[in-house]
Amino acid sequence: MTVLLLTLRVLHIGFGVFWVGAVVFLNTLLGPSIMAAGPAGMKVMMELRRRQYVHSLLGAGAVTILSGMGLVWIDSRGFQPEWFRSHFGMAISTGMLVATIAWLLGLLVVHPTSGEMVALGAELELAASDEARAAIGQRMETARGRLIRYGAITMILMLVSVVTMAIARYV
């Protein structure tokens, strides 16, 4: 059991640090820089898409969540209800729920929206008329707003999850 516990902790903490750090970096530094770069920023977005950046975040999140569930299973002795009623269990469960919601937002909103932005950028390059370019620009602006809004929500949820789990032993 010790080897399993240590393996799950290393996976949970290692992938969790990468996942949260990469999302915070994306939302606070990289994303705003891409937007400030204008049309040149679209090339960066396309390259991130090509390199599967969002897929790697979703994969790291999945490993983090699944290993965390394994740790909860061990700690709660097979998901015993008493554990979940303890302050520690409630804090860890809250962090786990919030992280799962953040992951689902990434999967269901952020990932498709980033793909939409890249597709619209490619469309914009091929648009012949000013009218077509304006219509595409409007759709891009809508998608960008959604990406910024849900990216920020996801980041905040992840930070809440980290704080909740970090203080769980002390509540």
Side-chain angles (χ1 to χ4, degrees):
M1 188 61 97
T2 303
V3 171
L4 176 61
L5 180 66
L6 292 175
T7 301
L8 289 173
R9 281 188 62 86
V10 166
L11 289 172
H12 186 68
I13 294 168
F15 279 89
V17 166
F18 170 77
W19 182 33
V20 174
V23 168
V24 170
F25 171 71
L26 178 64
N27 281 279
T28 61
L29 297 170
L30 185 59
S33 298
I34 288 170
M35 299 304 175
M42 189 53 60
K43 291 180 181 175
V44 174
M45 277 190 75
M46 291 171 81
E47 184 61 20
L48 288 171
R49 185 84 173 174
R50 187 185 73 74
R51 291 177 182 263
Q52 308 282 318
Y53 186 76
V54 175
H55 286 111
S56 67
L57 295 181
L58 290 170
V63 171
T64 302
I65 291 167
L66 292 173
S67 59
M69 289 176 79
L71 289 167
V72 167
W73 178 77
I74 291 168
D75 205 35
S76 68
R77 301 189 193 308
F79 300 123
Q80 293 298 312
E82 304 80 45
W83 185 87
F84 290 94
R85 286 191 288 270
S86 71
H87 290 278
F88 179 74
M90 285 188 273
I92 292 296
S93 299
T94 299
M96 190 167 57
L97 175 65
V98 171
T100 303
I101 292 168
W103 185 83
L104 287 169
L105 283 176
L107 177 70
L108 300 173
V109 180
V110 175
H111 176 52
T113 303
S114 68
E116 180 184 353
M117 289 282 293
V118 169
L120 288 169
E123 237 183 271
L124 191 61
E125 286 183 10
L126 300 174
S129 70
D130 288 340
E131 223 172 67
R133 293 177 71 74
I136 294 167
Q138 183 74 24
R139 289 172 41 215
M140 282 184 83
E141 200 56 40
T142 300
R144 179 169 59 165
R146 188 170 54 249
L147 194 59
I148 291 168
R149 183 172 49 259
Y150 282 96
I153 291 168
T154 299
M155 179 183 71
I156 290 166
L157 288 172
M158 292 172 75
L159 292 172
V160 166
S161 177
V162 167
V163 169
T164 304
M165 290 185 192
I167 66 170
R169 292 208 185 279
Y170 310 103
V171 295

